[in-house]
Amino acid sequence: MWKDVTTVADMPWNPDADMAEVLITEEQLAARVAELGAQITADYAGERLLLLGVLKGAVLFLVDLARQIKLSLEIDFMAISSYGSSTKSSGIVRILKDLESSVEGQHILVVEDIVDSGLTLDYLLRSLAARGPASIKVCGLLVKERTRALSVPIAYTGFTVPDKFVVGYGLDYAERYRNLPYIGVLRPEVYRDTGRDAS
Ligand code: IMP
Ligand code: MG
């Protein structure tokens, strides 16, 4: 029986057509994640490590990274809402989901999808520092070029990317594209069509 195509869910999925370019391929991501895992394994040998994933964007990166770290570790998550438009952070941050246990005396490695303005991270680091961990470091899969000019401490960086809006491998635009296996730059028409702000 014929069915009317009326919703996004009914339409064929063709995300490649929405991309201006693929910035980082699936193979490049896997290779860099393996390198980061090896480096973290060496740096935290003998320590009690907590991988702290920031929901939702860091999830895909975290599950791949965790499997490349050959240490006994724990995993926990925080969810943070950063007010602003869908493509720009405002710096006003709220904790939506907190950690399940105390981090006192633990070595925390914050796993982030992307550091852009650094405002979200700055807030998170201050909140964590107040809880008495042994140490706090940040592992960001992506860091935007302009962020390097800011004084956000990032111990491990996957890739430095241009100041464009990117999606895939956990990163979303309006909650979509997280499941792409690569990192791509969205064509401006895609967010223009939906009437949202772009950076
Ligand atoms: P910041 O507070 O400006 O550093 O932004 C942090 C958060 O904004 C990230 O954890 C992402 O969720 C989101 N974000 C920033 N830039 C991008 C992007 O290019 N694509 C998708 N999400 C982004
Ligand atoms: Mg997001």
Side-chain angles (χ1 to χ4, degrees):
M1 201 175 123
W2 294 105
K3 197 168 149 237
D4 286 336
V5 175
T6 49
T7 67
V8 170
D10 289 332
M11 297 192 312
W13 191 63
N14 185 16
D16 296 357
D18 293 344
M19 300 301 138
E21 61 179 307
V22 173
L23 262 192
I24 308 166
T25 65
E26 188 172 358
E27 293 72 26
Q28 288 171 320
L29 285 166
R32 186 69 186 120
V33 170
E35 282 174 5
L36 289 171
Q39 202 183 332
I40 292 164
T41 303
D43 293 353
Y44 285 90
E47 307 285 8
R48 197 171 152 218
L49 177 62
L50 172 70
L51 285 188
L52 199 180
V54 183
L55 294 173
K56 306 171 200 170
V59 166
L60 278 75
F61 175 41
L62 185 140
V63 298
D64 286 345
L65 181 67
R67 288 179 288 187
Q68 299 294 334
I69 300 175
K70 313 299 179 191
L71 297 172
S72 166
L73 57 74
E74 289 174 42
I75 295 176
D76 206 344
F77 295 97
M78 281 178 84
I80 285 170
S81 89
S82 144
Y83 292 100
S85 69
S86 60
T87 59
K88 282 210 183 84
S89 173
S90 67
I92 303 168
V93 175
R94 193 160 58 99
I95 294 177
L96 300 179
K97 182 213 172 292
D98 211 330
L99 296 171
E100 285 174 9
S101 51
S102 159
V103 292
E104 208 175 324
Q106 273 193 305
H107 293 279
I108 304 176
L109 184 59
V110 175
V111 180
E112 260 283 30
D113 54 353
I114 185 164
V115 187
D116 183 6
S117 69
L119 292 168
T120 308
L121 192 57
D122 182 66
Y123 174 88
L124 181 64
L125 294 179
R126 278 189 280 120
S127 165
L128 291 172
R131 306 178 192 196
S135 71
I136 312 173
K137 283 188 180 174
V138 177
C139 178
L141 175 68
L142 307 178
V143 176
K144 289 208 179 157
E145 267 161 11
R146 69 188 182 116
T147 313
R148 292 196 302 182
L150 308 171
S151 57
V152 195
I154 303 167
Y156 306 94
T157 298
F159 300 87
T160 302
V161 294
D163 300 332
K164 292 177 179 171
F165 196 77
V166 296
V167 294
Y169 197 60
L171 290 137
D172 72 304
Y173 168 65
E175 295 300 326
R176 294 196 296 131
Y177 304 104
R178 292 192 198 277
N179 55 332
L180 298 185
Y182 56 81
I183 303 278
V185 178
L186 264 191
R187 282 174 30 227
E189 307 90 273
V190 177
Y191 36 82
R192 222 180 278 137
D193 286 352
T194 63
R196 292 181 198 249
D197 177 37
S199 61

